[in-house]
Amino acid sequence: MPKIVLFGAIGYTGRLTAEALIARGAAPVLAARNATALEKLAADLGGAEIAVADVTDPGSLRALLDRGDVLVTTVGPFLRYGGPALAAAVAAGAHYFDSTGEGPFIRSVFDRDEEARKAGVGLLTAFGFDYVPGNLAAGLALCEAPEAAGPSDGRAVSAEPVNATESWPDR
């Protein structure tokens, strides 16, 4: 059965993410490089599976993941530490989420799109407090005032959000 692996669970954002996942009934595997801190966090959260992994040992990350799993990573700064987690997810055939707000790292995730598609996985970067509110606000603004988004050279611009879902307002 696919699992959720939360890498970076012992950091500030990781802990908040672990709490939110558990509150919603998920049972994530809490992963980080410090076993003692992981054990304490797992105990604080009422018990959870833990796994030690470190970006300096990419094999430790890859060993956590199987095809169809979901890797949620909060390990930053992403430009320094994010690459091994991204590579491990794609290699394993696991879906990937991160909480980065670093533009150059976001670009590096986009650059893996073709590889991810071939592996049958999704990559969702910048799913943190930095980008989500702004992206949602921009999408809602486009729905409300699509003519304001048109380029000055007369080319058409779609006001429909990319990959629209039912969560977008009916307009």
Side-chain angles (χ1 to χ4, degrees), residues 39-54:
E39 289 166 0
K40 180 179 182 330
L41 177 61
D44 290 350
L45 297 176
E49 184 179 346
I50 63 171
V52 175
D54 192 319

Side-chain angles (χ1 to χ4, degrees), residues 1-3 62 65-69 90-95 118-121:
M1 178 171 191
K3 63 188 174 295
R62 177 59 187 87
L65 301 169
D66 295 309
R67 175 162 291 290
D69 286 349
V90 174
H95 303 286
K118 287 179 183 173
V121 300

Side-chain angles (χ1 to χ4, degrees), residues 26-94:
V29 176
L30 306 178
R33 63 183 177 183
N34 184 319
T36 303
L38 277 169
E39 289 166 0
K40 180 179 182 330
L41 177 61
D44 290 350
L45 297 176
E49 184 179 346
I50 63 171
V52 175
D54 192 319
V55 295
T56 63
D57 177 9
S60 69
L61 291 168
R62 177 59 187 87
L64 294 177
L65 301 169
D66 295 309
R67 175 162 291 290
D69 286 349
V70 176
L71 176 64
V72 178
T73 178
T74 62
V75 176
F78 284 85
L79 281 172
R80 179 175 291 161
Y81 301 119
L86 175 59
V90 174

Side-chain angles (χ1 to χ4, degrees), residues 123-135:
L123 306 178
L124 183 58
T125 188
F127 201 81
F129 297 112
D130 295 52
Y131 279 83
V132 172
N135 288 345

Side-chain angles (χ1 to χ4, degrees), residues 14-38:
R15 183 182 183 99
L16 291 175
T17 303
E19 290 169 350
L21 286 167
I22 291 168
R24 286 162 179 78
V29 176
L30 306 178
R33 63 183 177 183
N34 184 319
T36 303
L38 277 169

